[in-house]
Structure formats: structure tokens, C-alpha cells
Amino acid sequence: MRIVSLLPAATDIVAELGLTGALVGRTHECDWPPGALEHAPVVTSAGFDADRLGSREISEAVGGAEHGGSSLYTLDSAKLAELAPDMVLTQELCEVCAVSYGSVVGAVRSLESGPTMLSLEPRTLSDVLDCVERVGGELGVPLVGSRRAAELRDRLERVRKSVAGLARPKVAAIEWLDPLWPAGHWVPEQIRAAGGEALLAEPGEHTEPVDWETVRAAQPEVMLLMPCGLAPERTESERELLTRLPGWAELPAVRAGRVWVVDGPAYFNRPGPRVVRGAEVLAHVLHGVTAGDEVAFTEARRLEP
């Protein structure tokens, strides 16, 4: 089996199934497990340099007419043909998270090798874990997929039990700082599993930007900052996008010192198996509970004033 993954979450699933050795191509954003993907060439690129742009500029680039969303990402069709994959993993869920589905379809249809294309569309935690089983079956390791999914479900249930009966703080999860964008899809379920009450979004919801007054009115007792695709250090460097807002210091979460920066790309932005680790991290953040390995500073840290 020769696999090309055009979605970082799919690459995470391939790794969970123990099939990184079969990966012959990946995206420029696939980065897990560390050091295990160097053998697989990169077949995509981005049309902008996020390191040189602020959050507002990135948002305008992603949503602007110049780029048209998914055209921000380019697929190297010639390289894809050279790799001759048997399976191409992709997605339709988010038009600004990966190469456009239409581009992938066109490229795959032109390949003489006639690969199978599998599109993953998870919106909830249950969907994410179902994808692990589904991909396992499609890649010829159904028993491994079922076992891994069962283990992930067991870990998630341990998180729920570890916080059962505890007070549930009101939690606002923010996946972009400018404009303010609440985290939807599976993140509200991660919060609920970890013993919190999710604000601003419902499970499975594809969210839109909200104004600052909406966040203020919700009076979050905990804030989680998890900008999509940005490392915690980058989030911290842009703290003034929030701290300068009117009434910031009066928010219950700020007064209580409960504004947290978490690793969005690793545990919250991608619909892969590590969302379960995200729930474990949140059990620590919300309740000081250890539901799995100890939570490291790289996974979650308080935002300093």
C-alpha cells in the first residue's frame, strides 16, 4: 500500500495505525510523529507565509477574493503522479485547511495508477474516532483500526469519569484571535468531556467570527486560546489582540487567572486521534485532574498578564 495524505489529521491517523512506513507523500503541514515522516516527500505548498503576517492579515488572505480560500494551497500534481499512490487521503470539511477537494479530484483522476481517494469529513468526537476505524479498514488493517479506536474511546471515558460530579466552569474556546472566532466541531465536546460548559458554539457546529461584545456577554470563567495552525509561542506573542480589548481585565476568566494557551494544532484544530489527548489536557486545565500522562508546559500554559 502506497499512501499519500493531503490532510495532517489523516497523517496522524496513519501514524496511529502504525503505517507511517507506507506513507509516500504528505502535506507541508504534516508534522507528527516528530522525525517519522522525513522519508515521505511534501506534495503541497501554501500561497502565503504565515510567519510574516499577523492574525488579521492571515484572515484576510484566507478569506480574501485574491486567494478564494482553498486556492491558498497548491498541489504538486506532477509529484503526485510520480509517487503513484494506491490511496489518497483528503477532506472536504474545511476549504481553508487544505488543498481544495476539487483540485484533488482532478489530480487523482489523471493518474494512471488509478488510486482510491478517501475523503474524511468528521464534525464530532464520535466522527473522529469512527474515522480511525474507517481508515484502518480502507488501508487493510481493520483489526488495528478497531483496536485503536476502542483504546481512544476508553481514554475519553476515563476523562469523563475523572471529572464526574465536579462543578462545570463556563468555557470559551477561541480558535482565531483577529477576528475572534470560536472553536466549533469537536471542541465543545472536548470541553464537555473534560468537565466544562462550552460557550459560543455547539457540538458539530461550523462556526463564524463573533464580535467582542458577544464574548464579553458570555462571561467565560475559563478561556482557551487555540488559534488554528499556530504554535503556543505565536499565540502568546499576539496577546495584545485580546488584552487591549475594552473590558478584558473584568472578564471572570481574566480576574481568576484562568486564560490558557493550549497547543491547537496538536490537540484541537485537527480531527485526528490526538483530540483525545486534548480532552485529557483540558481535564488538567479545568480541574487540575490528571487523566493520562502529566500535562506539559508545551501542551497548556496560563497566559501571563
Side-chain angles (χ1 to χ4, degrees):
M1 176 71 72
R2 296 174 60 81
I3 306 165
V4 168
S5 172
L6 300 180
L7 183 66
T11 302
D12 289 4
I13 293 174
V14 170
E16 185 74 20
L17 296 171
L19 295 175
T20 52
L23 198 67
V24 298
R26 60 186 171 98
T27 79
H28 60 286
E29 293 183 325
C30 295
D31 56 8
W32 188 83
L37 304 176
E38 283 81 356
H39 68 282
V42 170
V43 297
T44 67
S45 59
F48 65 97
D49 186 352
D51 292 335
R52 293 177 176 270
L53 301 177
S55 288
R56 172 62 66 170
E57 293 172 309
I58 293 172
S59 180
E60 290 174 350
V62 168
E66 177 183 357
H67 295 291
S70 57
S71 61
L72 285 164
Y73 302 96
T74 301
L75 173 64
D76 187 339
S77 298
K79 187 66 177 179
L80 183 66
E82 178 186 325
L83 295 173
D86 303 306
M87 173 69 72
V88 176
L89 301 173
T90 185
Q91 61 95 41
E92 294 178 80
L93 181 65
C94 178
E95 292 187 352
V96 297
C97 293
V99 175
S100 72
Y101 183 72
S103 296
V104 176
V105 170
V108 168
R109 283 177 177 170
S110 69
L111 298 182
E112 294 182 1
S113 58
T116 298
M117 189 173 73
L118 180 61
S119 181
L120 307 179
E121 312 299 329
R123 292 180 179 272
T124 65
L125 271 182
S126 179
D127 290 345
V128 173
L129 302 186
D130 287 347
C131 277
V132 175
E133 283 193 270
R134 181 186 177 198
V135 173
E138 294 287 346
L139 297 184
V141 288
L143 294 181
V144 175
S146 295
R147 184 168 65 250
R148 290 288 186 266
E151 291 168 352
L152 291 166
R153 293 187 181 101
D154 287 345
R155 284 173 57 192
L156 195 57
E157 186 58 28
R158 285 197 293 273
V159 173
R160 294 189 178 103
K161 289 180 178 179
S162 73
V163 298
L166 300 178
R168 303 179 72 86
K170 296 188 297 181
V171 182
I174 305 298
E175 73 172 10
W176 202 251
L177 303 186
D178 187 14
L180 285 166
W181 204 306
H185 293 135
W186 45 86
V187 174
E189 290 178 285
Q190 289 175 292
I191 292 170
R192 292 183 183 183
E197 175 188 342
L199 303 173
L200 307 176
E202 294 297 324
E205 181 183 355
H206 185 77
T207 58
E208 296 182 351
V210 298
D211 58 42
W212 172 238
E213 288 307 313
T214 297
V215 179
R216 285 183 67 181
Q219 291 289 286
E221 296 168 308
V222 180
M223 288 191 71
L224 306 172
L225 309 182
M226 51 180 69
C228 189
L230 301 187
E233 294 77 16
R234 171 67 183 272
T235 301
E236 289 179 313
S237 74
E238 296 194 359
R239 73 185 71 194
E240 287 190 1
L241 292 173
L242 296 177
T243 60
R244 70 188 181 193
L245 292 170
W248 167 261
E250 284 72 52
L251 285 180
V254 177
R255 293 201 309 266
R258 303 191 73 186
V259 181
W260 288 79
V261 177
V262 295
D263 191 336
Y267 306 122
F268 302 99
N269 307 151
R270 301 176 182 176
R274 290 188 292 166
V275 295
V276 173
R277 178 56 181 166
E280 294 172 346
V281 169
L282 293 188
H284 165 76
V285 166
L286 301 183
H287 297 291
V289 169
T290 300
D293 294 337
E294 293 286 341
V295 174
F297 181 75
T298 55
E299 298 177 305
R301 64 191 71 173
R302 294 181 190 270
L303 183 70
E304 297 299 327

